[in-house]
Amino acid sequence: MFKAFDLSKAFLYLRFSMSKIGVFDSGYGGLTVLKSLVKELPNHDFVYLGDNARAPYGNRSFDIVYEYTLQCVNWLFDNGCDLVILACNTASAKALRQIQQVDLPKRSDIKNVLGVIRPTTEVVGNFSRTNQVGIVGTVGTIRSNSYVIEIEKFFPNIKVYQEACPIWVHLVENRLVGMSGTDFFVAHHLQKLFLQSPNIDTLILGCTHYPLLIDSIEKCLPPNVKIISQGEVVAKSLKQYLKLHPEFKLEKHKPGLVEFFTTEQYYEFNGMASLFYGNTVTAEHITLHL
Ligand code: DGL
């Protein structure tokens, strides 16, 4: 028979063997994905980490994006997450493969990291009639060619056109959404994309910050162009993944708990984050040292 302290030990074991889903982005952008994840999986617990102090990642080298991302992933692992979603295209393009192939196999516990590029490329063919798809993203994501390589695997008939938009994340992070100057830079890059082919009928916003620019983007798009909402696609894909991977013992509540952490000061983060998330965000500050 269990004694009282044995029961509490059993409870503690159960408590710490259950885990949450970690969601990481360089800054605010991943909150657009988190919003869709919470909608699709309302009873799961999530921990969001934005590396705002070091954002943006878009123009950084492969090595630095990898180091920063790995550090944030390890923080999420150490803070109760067995599964982490890189809700950042730049990190998915430049760090995910190395983390999956080099870092995860060194661990003895069950952990995984998933990105946002693969789920998006798996479905893009269901949207395009002309088989011409446009991608906008950070310099890092576009130069990595990750979208071109992944789409080729699933839909070899699709022709992909890409445009790096280095200033868009800065416009978002500097709170310039809705300004006429922002409209100018959004139009500039979309015109360059559509000059490559006027027959593009599907646009992937290959950066999780870009949904914040949706009003400016829609103003410039030809009427028949469909924008793929990455948050919804990633959320559906995660739901499917969880069905196939019962080894992840995830906490559930009604409703699930969502916690927010940032490497910036929380008072800098909260206001802007609430706009992205569409709900009040109260974050805690954490410090990461390389
Ligand atoms: N939101 C990120 C992405 O999806 C990164 C933006 C950045 O830090 O440059 O690419």
Side-chain angles (χ1 to χ4, degrees):
M1 211 172 98
F2 278 122
K3 292 180 195 156
F5 69 87
D6 291 324
L7 270 176
S8 68
K9 264 189 186 167
F11 174 76
L12 268 181
Y13 173 78
L14 201 65
R15 168 70 186 80
F16 288 107
S17 64
M18 301 294 277
S19 84
K20 305 166 188 186
I21 300 172
V23 179
F24 162 73
D25 181 54
S26 60
Y28 298 110
L31 291 162
T32 60
V33 176
L34 178 67
K35 196 160 119 182
S36 301
L37 295 178
V38 170
K39 197 167 164 206
E40 193 68 40
L41 299 162
N43 299 329
H44 284 75
D45 289 357
F46 292 92
V47 181
Y48 184 85
L49 174 59
D51 192 9
N52 298 72
R54 301 186 293 199
Y57 282 12
N59 290 336
R60 293 190 188 275
S61 65
F62 175 91
D63 291 337
I64 292 297
V65 172
Y66 163 68
E67 274 177 54
Y68 286 2
T69 304
L70 179 61
Q71 200 183 22
C72 291
V73 164
N74 282 335
W75 185 89
L76 287 163
F77 284 163
D78 292 345
N79 285 275
C81 304
D82 288 345
L83 185 61
V84 173
I85 311 299
L86 301 186
C88 173
N89 286 267
T90 310
S92 299
K94 297 178 94 166
L96 179 62
R97 180 187 282 255
Q98 185 146 345
I99 291 175
Q100 283 177 336
Q101 294 183 351
V102 178
D103 299 292
L104 290 180
K106 289 183 195 155
R107 302 185 67 105
S108 55
D109 46 7
I110 298 174
K111 306 275 186 199
N112 204 6
V113 181
L114 304 170
V116 288
I117 294 180
R118 173 88 184 234
T120 314
T121 57
E122 274 174 1
V123 300
V124 69
N126 307 338
F127 294 92
S128 180
R129 299 277 162 269
T130 60
N131 279 340
Q132 302 208 12
V133 169
I135 318 283
V136 281
T138 63
V139 171
T141 298
I142 299 303
R143 281 207 189 132
S144 75
N145 246 358
S146 300
Y147 273 99
V148 178
I149 295 165
E150 288 296 317
I151 291 174
E152 164 75 23
K153 285 185 199 157
F154 298 108
F155 303 101
N157 297 335
I158 287 185
K159 181 123 181 64
V160 179
Y161 299 90
Q162 304 195 89
E163 171 70 8
C165 311
I167 201 169
W168 287 13
V169 169
H170 294 273
L171 296 170
V172 173
E173 292 274 332
N174 287 290
R175 304 169 184 229
L176 295 170
V177 171
M179 312 293 257
S180 55
T182 297
D183 286 349
F184 171 84
F185 285 110
V186 168
H188 169 73
H189 285 294
L190 289 176
Q191 276 159 14
K192 281 177 70 188
L193 178 70
F194 281 87
L195 267 181
Q196 295 179 51
S197 168
N199 297 322
I200 294 168
D201 71 345
T202 305
L203 181 69
I204 296 179
L205 303 184
C207 171
T208 53
H209 280 64
Y210 295 175
L212 272 292
L213 296 171
I214 196 76
D215 291 343
S216 303
I217 292 170
E218 280 178 344
K219 276 188 219 165
C220 310
L221 284 185
N224 58 336
V225 176
K226 165 95 187 146
I227 299 175
I228 296 190
S229 164
Q230 199 169 41
E232 281 168 37
V233 169
V234 170
K236 288 200 165 53
S237 166
L238 177 61
K239 194 173 185 179
Q240 193 57 26
Y241 177 89
L242 293 179
K243 277 191 197 147
L244 299 173
H245 292 274
E247 68 272 23
F248 291 102
K249 307 266 177 281
L250 298 170
E251 294 231 29
K252 285 191 181 173
H253 293 102
K254 281 191 175 178
L257 308 172
V258 187
E259 296 164 275
F260 299 90
F261 296 88
T262 174
T263 54
E264 236 319 338
Q265 290 304 334
Y266 66 89
Y267 48 81
E268 288 288 335
F269 181 81
N270 287 347
M272 185 73 163
S274 302
L275 284 180
F276 272 60
Y277 188 56
N279 226 321
T280 307
V281 167
T282 309
E284 273 178 51
H285 166 76
I286 62 154
T287 307
L288 295 173
H289 298 290
L290 266 185

